[in-house]
Amino acid sequence: MKAKQVFFSVLLFGTAGLLLFMYLQAWIEEHHTGKIEKKRDQKGVSVTTGKIQKQITNQNSEVHMPEDLKKKGGDLLNLGSPTRVLRKISHSQRENGAYRSTEAHQGAKIEVFQKPIQMDWPLVTQPLNKSLVQGNKWKKADATQEKRRSFLHEFCKKYGRVNDPKFNLFHIVSRIYVEDKHKILYCEVPKAGCSNWKRILMVLNGLASSAYNISHDTVHYGKHLKTLDSFDLKGVHMRLNTYTKAVFVRDPMERLVSAFRDKFEHPNSYYHPVFGKAIIKKYRPNASAEALNNGSGVKFKEFAYYLLDAHRPVGMDIHWERVSKLCYPCLINYDFVGKFETLGEDANYFLQLIGAPKELTFPNFKDRHSSDERTNAHVVRQYLKDLSTAERQLIYDFYHLDYLMFNYTTPHL
């Protein structure tokens, strides 16, 4: 009997151990960094030039209203209903666009995060409070702002209808920075003046006396600013409905080239080993051992192939992710829409609106690689020379919502 008991005990514990191992293996695979982006964009394309060109026939170089916008008016933002929730991670991970899912969040709050959160989407657009604006010098900026707000509102009303409001609220607001003193919500769009905007928020919050003496690392890794998803549900609702919500955007093609130059043309301890190595391995035939080992020297054409690949080897990153998926403009209904192309005027007008100190003005210095020429239309054209007309058209298609909702003109096709 004892031998049988020993045998069955060993068998039982062995089976339990095997099941535990299989569960842990599945969990690890699910949460691996390379699996951050769970749902790929289904409109991606193959990576070879020949196959890319096959996907585009009889295309011209004009901006056009995409067929999906012509045929239907709803669900254009492709917002899913996540079944899991986001775990808070380090600020450095947030800067690199990393999010991980978990079944729990701070113990007692688990049910709040797991259940769909009901809100009235989209939020109602409120008239701007202009009582703090002094003088007549801002008339042009005010008129421009009203046109942008109206255009975005009409676009979302026509094309951005949301059929199912069961979205993960804390994910939607995870890129929105909060400044409580002046009641500001700022949605971060990388490569559209975000570093200097964070400096401004720190000054407004009393964390610094001047925006000009705050380093890049302090801005992005100092953990001085709060994001909206760090508040409880009541706090999120209150701020969304009462604070002034601002987003600053940039021509999508220009923003893309700016991100490429910043992350791949200069030494970078994160983007080269994580993105560079994967991109070179998949898209460069006969790559050298050195390039495969350090991930440096990614070419813009290779980067474009990665961006357009439905099965890209590493996930998307916030520096080239679409604004429609960073800030959800047709859900949040931003009160202020600034543009990088008129950044100084827009930003300083916004500071007037929220009653900032008179001496505070928006910085105009280049945050990194100050000796490089700023990315502009001329620079963009130089990079796009490496791509075929079909490839440039596909990049526009990738960003077409950003082009349309923010009323940008013909891209460099």
Side-chain angles (χ1 to χ4, degrees):
M1 279 298 286
K2 290 184 179 180
K4 289 184 179 180
Q5 289 178 344
V6 170
F7 172 77
F8 284 115
S9 296
V10 170
L11 182 62
L12 179 63
F13 281 108
T15 303
L18 180 60
L19 291 174
L20 178 61
F21 172 80
M22 293 172 64
Y23 172 81
L24 288 174
Q25 185 181 37
W27 188 92
I28 290 171
E29 290 178 355
E30 181 180 354
H31 291 74
H32 190 271
T33 304
K35 300 294 184 180
I36 291 171
E37 190 183 28
K38 296 293 183 181
K39 295 183 179 180
R40 302 292 191 195
D41 205 342
Q42 296 303 310
K43 294 185 179 180
V45 298
S46 304
V47 303
T48 63
T49 304
K51 291 184 178 179
I52 285 176
Q53 292 175 336
K54 286 181 181 179
Q55 296 203 9
I56 297 193
T57 54
N58 301 320
Q59 296 276 12
N60 58 42
S61 60
E62 298 179 355
V63 173
H64 57 279
M65 180 68 77
E67 290 301 320
D68 54 353
L69 290 183
K70 292 179 180 178
K71 293 178 181 178
K72 58 181 182 179
D75 288 332
L76 296 183
L77 299 184
N78 193 28
L79 299 173
S81 302
T83 57
R84 298 193 175 189
V85 300
L86 301 180
R87 177 170 63 84
K88 296 297 182 295
I89 57 178
S90 71
H91 197 85
S92 61
Q93 287 175 308
R94 180 187 299 278
E95 173 65 9
N96 291 328
Y99 288 99
R100 295 176 183 174
S101 59
T102 183
E103 296 293 336
H105 188 286
Q106 297 180 353
K109 294 184 180 180
I110 180 172
E111 292 301 321
V112 172
F113 276 75
Q114 286 185 327
K115 291 181 178 179
I117 297 171
Q118 300 292 332
M119 286 192 68
D120 294 327
W121 297 108
L123 299 179
V124 177
T125 302
Q126 301 292 341
L128 281 171
N129 180 6
K130 303 172 186 177
S131 61
L132 298 176
V133 178
Q134 300 177 354
N136 296 321
K137 63 177 292 186
W138 302 109
K139 283 187 175 181
K140 180 181 178 182
D142 176 65
T144 299
Q145 190 55 222
E146 291 302 331
K147 287 180 181 178
R148 289 176 187 167
R149 280 161 38 95
S150 176
F151 185 91
L152 179 60
H153 177 73
E154 290 302 315
F155 174 88
C156 291
K157 186 167 67 173
K158 187 173 182 179
Y159 297 114
R161 187 181 74 250
V162 180
N163 295 327
D164 184 356
K166 297 177 182 178
F167 303 115
N168 187 308
L169 174 62
F170 290 89
H171 172 67
I172 291 173
V173 303
S174 62
R175 301 228 57 85
I176 297 179
Y177 284 83
V178 179
E179 201 283 289
D180 284 313
K181 185 177 179 181
H182 296 82
K183 298 184 177 180
I184 300 169
L185 298 180
Y186 161 71
C187 187
E188 177 189 28
V189 177
K191 312 312 298 179
C194 69
S195 297
N196 281 335
W197 261 118
K198 288 182 181 180
R199 290 183 172 95
I200 288 292
L201 294 180
M202 290 177 67
V203 174
L204 289 173
N205 206 27
L207 298 172
S209 59
S210 171
Y212 287 87
N213 55 16
I214 308 174
S215 70
H216 177 88
D217 286 351
T218 299
V219 167
H220 290 292
Y221 310 119
K223 300 182 181 180
H224 300 295
L225 299 172
K226 290 184 177 180
T227 50
L228 192 52
D229 63 340
S230 66
F231 295 88
D232 62 17
L233 185 58
K234 182 178 179 180
V236 173
H237 276 226
M238 182 275 289
R239 288 169 176 81
L240 280 175
N241 288 306
T242 60
Y243 283 23
T244 302
K245 303 176 289 295
V247 61
F248 278 72
V249 299
R250 187 177 187 177
D251 176 277
M253 205 78 80
E254 191 172 298
R255 179 171 165 252
L256 178 68
V257 172
S258 177
F260 173 78
R261 296 176 72 199
D262 180 25
K263 303 308 178 186
F264 295 102
E265 292 187 348
H266 295 272
N268 192 295
S269 60
Y270 174 77
Y271 285 90
H272 290 191
V274 175
F275 287 86
K277 289 169 68 172
I279 290 172
I280 290 172
K281 181 179 179 180
K282 185 166 185 179
Y283 309 110
R284 182 181 299 179
N286 304 316
S288 68
E290 181 181 3
L292 291 170
N293 183 57
N294 59 35
S296 298
V298 171
K299 299 174 183 177
F300 185 70
K301 192 178 187 75
E302 295 166 339
F303 178 63
Y305 284 162
Y306 148 79
L307 182 76
L308 299 171
D309 188 357
H311 304 287
R312 58 180 74 95
V314 281
M316 281 295 291
D317 181 85
I318 59 171
H319 291 85
W320 47 84
E321 180 60 279
R322 292 147 290 191
V323 178
S324 57
K325 293 199 172 190
L326 289 173
C327 297
Y328 299 90
C330 286
L331 290 181
I332 301 296
N333 266 1
Y334 289 90
D335 304 301
F336 193 95
V337 180
K339 290 191 173 183
F340 185 83
E341 294 76 12
T342 52
L343 181 57
E345 184 176 27
D346 292 347
N348 287 316
Y349 177 51
F350 181 78
L351 292 176
Q352 287 277 318
L353 287 169
I354 54 95
K358 293 182 180 179
E359 65 276 9
L360 181 61
T361 58
F362 193 79
N364 59 5
F365 62 85
K366 198 171 188 290
D367 184 56
R368 301 201 330 150
H369 316 306
S370 57
S371 62
D372 291 359
E373 181 183 1
R374 286 183 181 271
T375 302
N376 52 36
H378 171 72
V379 172
V380 170
R381 281 192 288 271
Q382 300 306 308
Y383 280 80
L384 293 182
K385 284 181 179 178
D386 294 335
L387 305 182
S388 68
T389 301
E391 291 160 353
R392 294 196 295 270
Q393 179 67 52
L394 281 176
I395 292 178
Y396 164 69
D397 292 342
F398 183 82
Y399 287 109
H400 75 271
L401 268 180
D402 286 2
Y403 269 105
L404 294 171
M405 67 173 52
F406 297 112
N407 198 24
Y408 276 106
T409 54
T410 306
H412 312 279
L413 298 178

